[in-house]
Amino acid sequence: MHRNTIKLLLLAGAVSGPAHALAQASASAPVTQAQVDALQQSIKNAQSSADNAWMLVSAALVLLMTGPGLALFYGGLVRRKNILSTMMQSFAMMGLVTIIWAVLGYSLAFGHGNAMVGGFEHLFLRGVGLAPSAYAPTIPEQTFMVYQLMFAIITPALITGAFAERMKFSAMALFLSLWSLLVYSPMAHMVWGIGGLLNASGGSIPSLDFAGGTVVHVTSGVSALVTALYLGKRIGYPKTAMPPHSMVLSFIGACLLWVGWFGFNAGSALNSGPLATSAFVNTHFAAATAALGWTIAEWIHNGKPTALGAISGAVAGLVAITPASGFVQPMSALAIGLIAGFFCFFMVFMVKSRFGYDDSLDAFGVHGAGGSLGAILTGIFAVSAINSAFGNDAAGKPIPTGVLDGHWGQLLNQAAGVAVAWILSAVGTLVLLFIVDKIVGLRVSAEDENTGLDLSQHGEEGYDFNN
């Protein structure tokens, strides 16, 4: 039987190098157990190499989402006098959060602790080496660590869209550094960490979040809303028109976000297998229908479809499919995207206008609202045929995952996960804003705001029309 297996592998081209030579030799000679073990090890090494390559590429794609993706997307949406300061905020997160993650953040998120937060076992990345871990058995733990770092970078960067054009750079740096430790890391542990409260595998409230609907988008979106309310409106808002100064930059940024999101969602499979394919397809489908949904809604509401509406819709779809990407089928992804396009349009154009808060770049309307919606819809559309997240029953059959599987109770679990994310983000953000305000002050002066943050905070301009 071993000999036949090796022959089949040879014919299929599935082995190479020493294993290929073994397969050739085995065609006419008996195969020893040592040779079988060597072949199995060769196959295991090949799988590990493929998974590791995909995960390193995925990590780079997620970093691409922050810089240049988010930096260009946000940068084009602000006024010309604030483009550099806005882009600098995303870039600052690439540096600051990396250091924080290496020193303490990773340990608080993925170290062994309690149901709410990890411990200090990986302080200064102690014990995080090149061997696999319980989180990803086919890749080095350092690969897993650096992949998760990219999530930790973009999440606080998303919040900057809410306070664009009016927060001090020093306040931003201190606030978001503390936020990444005290809000993001605990939430990541609760959802993805071993023993976490919301972990789908063994948590007290098993909540499905494949790639960060609650961990990334709900936390950043809710924190964005709280920050916008705490800071108050920009001078002149809403009476003074504050249109995007460069839709071209924002358009390029949105397209980079769309591409990078494949690493965000498909990479969350933590291997290069079929689940990554499913998440990849779902990601693309949802973005497409959300762009269509927002465009249709805007066309009806304003009489014209705009580029800003189309790219905002695409991002809304990417946000909404994030928690569901590894649990649903392609037609469900189309439905999630379409619903998200209409819903996030409603939040941005109707709800924001009704309550009058100045969420400068609609971080809450897209990420907070879209992430919450996506998390709830995950509970409806998730099926065990795609991902048996809860394992098998005594008879060996997959345990139902979502409402389409007949598991109505998962809606309550999803709602609980969203509620935890809202409470942690709102309370944590409010406390941190109060502390930072007392230490360095949050808002720039009226004079500096009128001058623009590029000059007042950094002493430079994005555009020099004199040369």
Side-chain angles (χ1 to χ4, degrees), residues 47-137:
Q47 178 189 357
S48 178
S49 295
D51 290 346
N52 196 45
W54 167 239
M55 292 310 302
L56 290 174
V57 170
S58 293
L61 285 171
V62 180
L63 183 62
L64 177 81
M65 292 173 66
T66 305
L70 188 67
L72 285 170
F73 182 64
Y74 277 179
L77 293 177
V78 297
R79 288 169 288 181
R80 188 176 66 206
K81 61 185 179 180
N82 295 312
I83 178 175
L84 284 182
S85 63
T86 300
M87 298 179 80
M88 183 62 178
Q89 289 170 350
S90 290
F91 193 79
M93 291 303 98
M94 294 168 66
L96 288 172
V97 175
T98 296
I99 298 168
I100 293 167
W101 191 251
V103 173
L104 180 57
Y106 177 73
S107 190
L108 293 180
F110 294 101
H112 290 84
N114 53 45
M116 306 301 291
V117 68
F120 300 102
E121 64 181 290
H122 295 311
L123 194 66
F124 295 100
L125 295 183
R126 184 177 60 221
V128 182
L130 300 179
S133 70
Y135 289 106

Side-chain angles (χ1 to χ4, degrees), residues 190-205:
M190 281 189 275
V191 175
W192 295 326
I194 294 174
L197 174 69
L198 304 173
N199 193 301
S201 301
S204 300
I205 308 173

Side-chain angles (χ1 to χ4, degrees), residues 210-270:
F210 191 73
T214 52
V215 178
V216 175
H217 298 295
V218 175
T219 58
S220 63
V222 172
S223 297
L225 177 62
V226 172
T227 305
L229 292 173
Y230 191 99
L231 275 178
K233 302 172 185 178
R234 287 168 291 178
I235 296 174
Y237 181 89
K239 295 181 180 179
T240 301
M242 300 178 184
H245 89 280
S246 177
M247 275 306 304
V248 172
L249 293 183
S250 293
F251 200 94
I252 295 170
C255 292
L256 287 170
L257 284 170
W258 191 329
V259 172
W261 226 290
F262 293 125
F264 201 83
N265 288 356
S268 291
L270 300 178

Side-chain angles (χ1 to χ4, degrees), residues 345-368:
F345 171 86
F346 172 77
M347 293 298 297
V348 168
F349 277 85
M350 310 300 180
V351 175
K352 179 180 172 181
S353 298
R354 171 67 179 82
F355 290 98
Y357 54 85
D358 186 11
D359 176 8
S360 307
L361 309 181
D362 298 314
F364 172 72
V366 173
H367 296 277

Side-chain angles (χ1 to χ4, degrees), residues 127-134 136-144:
V128 182
L130 300 179
S133 70
T138 63
I139 61 174
E141 186 171 5
Q142 277 192 18
T143 299
F144 175 79

